[in-house]
């Protein structure tokens, strides 16, 4: 039966602050991963959808805009590059402009005829301008595709910033873990030297300290992941009016079932990223402790 080790020879540190710091770093890393998922989703939406949208405005100077629309729509719908083309009703235009122009003033203004068009491909070869000019020479074409490249670059930049934040959080966790291990070794220098002099291998001593450090890292990673999960759930509820057409008054659920439903419907990529945070925290605690202890032992006489 293995005898218990005397208190003087216990190598595991008692500094519980390491777990709290790792929890904070894990929460920050998880939030950064949430930002990465959101930025990637935004970029994908623009590449797949919004970049294909085209708006055609026909001025009503000669009061023949409606006739030009009737002549232009069949030509657009016959083009293989066009997936969908339809006229925006004047009532909808007045409704859109009402917050800025007012209902009475906006109704008195002659608005241009507007055609909403969806391309089949975000990078088309067919020139829509030539088709439009035949039926509506004065039409103005506004293509979101011009902004698609800039928005894609913005999305990539946001993703890079998110990964930079994750890297900084990991670097901070590495530095704090290394400092905690060094403090443990400094506080227990004499027991370590005794064990080392009695024949304990570097691997045995490193495993003893790394086991404690990795346990604190795992506990901190789990706490940080759950904390970030809660914060991301709140952010998801706040973003619902912009995604699910939910009114701002109904974003706060009356009971816990609403919160649980939102938390359980977070993107799968984000859930997997949150699940990997405790493992990464454990890995940092184990590997940093192993490296730090072995390097310190090599310096012993």
């Amino acid at each position: 039966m293995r005898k218990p080790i005397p208190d003087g020879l216990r190598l595991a540190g008692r500094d519980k602050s390491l777990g709290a710091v790792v929890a904070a770093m894990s929460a920050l890393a998880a939030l950064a991963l949430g930002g990465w998922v959101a930025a990637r989703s935004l970029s994908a939406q623009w590449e797949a959808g919004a970049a294909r949208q085209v708006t055609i405005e026909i001025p009503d100077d000669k009061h023949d805009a409606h006739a030009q629309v009737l002549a232009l729509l069949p030509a657009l719908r016959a083009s293989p590059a066009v997936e969908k083309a339809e006229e925006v009703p004047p009532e909808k235009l007045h409704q859109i402009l009402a917050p800025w122009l007012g209902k009475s003033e906006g109704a008195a203004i002659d608005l241009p005829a507007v055609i909403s068009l969806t391309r089949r491909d975000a990078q088309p070869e067919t020139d829509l301008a030539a088709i439009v000019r035949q039926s509506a020479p004065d039409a103005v074409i506004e293509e979101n595709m011009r902004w698609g490249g800039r928005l894609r670059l913005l999305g990539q930049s946001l993703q890079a910033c998110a990964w930079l934040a994750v890297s900084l959080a990991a670097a901070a966790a590495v530095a704090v873990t290394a400092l905690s291990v060094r403090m443990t070794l400094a506080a227990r220098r004499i027991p370590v030297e005794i064990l080392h002099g009695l024949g304990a291998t570097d691997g045995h001593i490193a495993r003893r300290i790394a086991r404690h450090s990795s346990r604190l890292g795992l506990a901190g990673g789990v706490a940080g992941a759950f904390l970030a999960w809660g914060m991301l759930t709140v952010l998801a509820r706040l973003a619902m009016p912009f995604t699910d057409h939910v009114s701002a008054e109904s974003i706060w659920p009356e009971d816990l079932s609403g919160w649980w439903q939102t938390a359980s419907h977070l993107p799968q990529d984000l859930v997997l990223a949150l699940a990997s945070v405790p493992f990464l925290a454990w890995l940092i605690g184990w590997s940093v402790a192993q490296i730090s202890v072995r390097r310190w032992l090599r310096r012993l006489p």
Side-chain angles (χ1 to χ4, degrees):
M1 183 175 180
R2 187 175 181 177
K3 297 182 179 180
I5 299 176
D7 291 339
L9 296 181
R10 293 186 182 276
L11 303 183
R14 300 182 183 273
D15 186 12
K16 304 300 182 182
S17 61
L18 176 62
V21 175
V22 172
M25 294 298 101
S26 299
L28 291 176
L31 289 175
L33 289 173
W36 167 71
V37 172
R40 190 182 65 171
S41 176
L42 177 63
S43 179
Q45 287 180 6
W46 269 95
E47 290 182 11
R52 298 187 295 129
Q53 300 298 316
V54 180
T55 302
I56 302 174
E57 300 178 8
I58 303 177
D60 199 20
D61 298 336
K62 301 178 182 179
H63 301 285
D64 61 348
H66 184 65
Q68 295 183 30
V69 169
L70 294 179
L72 181 57
L73 282 176
L76 292 174
R77 291 168 178 169
S79 174
V82 176
E83 179 178 333
K84 182 181 180 181
E86 59 183 7
E87 181 182 8
V88 180
E91 297 80 9
K92 186 175 181 179
L93 293 177
H94 286 293
Q95 183 181 1
I96 294 174
L97 296 176
W100 290 272
L101 301 179
K103 295 184 178 180
S104 58
E105 292 81 357
I109 298 176
D110 292 331
L111 298 178
V114 177
I115 295 177
S116 178
L117 182 147
T118 303
R119 290 181 179 270
R120 294 188 183 276
D121 191 353
Q123 303 291 337
E125 298 180 357
T126 304
D127 186 10
L128 288 178
I131 301 176
V132 174
R133 296 290 180 250
Q134 293 178 0
S135 302
D138 298 328
V140 178
I141 302 176
E142 295 290 342
E143 297 202 45
N144 290 337
M145 185 177 58
R146 298 177 181 178
W147 300 94
R150 299 180 184 180
L151 290 172
R152 190 181 307 111
L153 180 61
L154 175 61
Q156 293 173 353
S157 301
L158 292 175
Q159 294 180 57
C161 291
W163 280 115
L164 178 61
V166 173
S167 301
L168 291 176
V174 169
V176 170
T177 303
L179 179 61
S180 176
V181 171
R182 291 175 184 175
M183 292 176 61
T184 299
L185 291 172
R188 290 161 175 77
R189 180 183 181 90
I190 294 178
V192 170
E193 290 180 346
I194 293 176
L195 289 176
H196 196 261
L198 292 176
T201 63
D202 293 356
H204 174 74
I205 298 175
R207 283 194 301 271
R208 292 286 304 278
I209 298 178
R211 189 180 302 117
H212 173 76
S213 179
S214 61
R215 281 200 299 262
L216 289 178
L218 179 62
V222 172
F226 272 102
L227 179 62
W229 189 30
M231 289 187 289
L232 290 171
T233 301
V234 174
L235 292 176
R237 296 293 304 187
L238 292 174
M240 287 180 66
F242 304 97
T243 56
D244 296 333
H245 307 287
V246 177
S247 62
E249 292 78 10
S250 60
I251 60 175
W252 304 114
E254 298 180 356
D255 50 22
L256 294 178
S257 60
W259 290 107
W260 175 252
Q261 184 179 6
T262 302
S264 61
H265 284 80
L266 290 176
Q268 184 177 4
D269 293 346
L270 180 57
V271 174
L272 293 176
L274 290 176
S276 67
V277 168
F279 171 75
L280 293 177
W282 173 86
L283 182 62
I284 288 175
W286 175 267
S287 58
V288 171
Q290 285 276 353
I291 295 173
S292 299
V293 173
R294 289 176 184 272
R295 289 182 60 183
W296 187 84
L297 290 174
R298 292 194 190 101
R299 300 172 185 173
L300 291 179

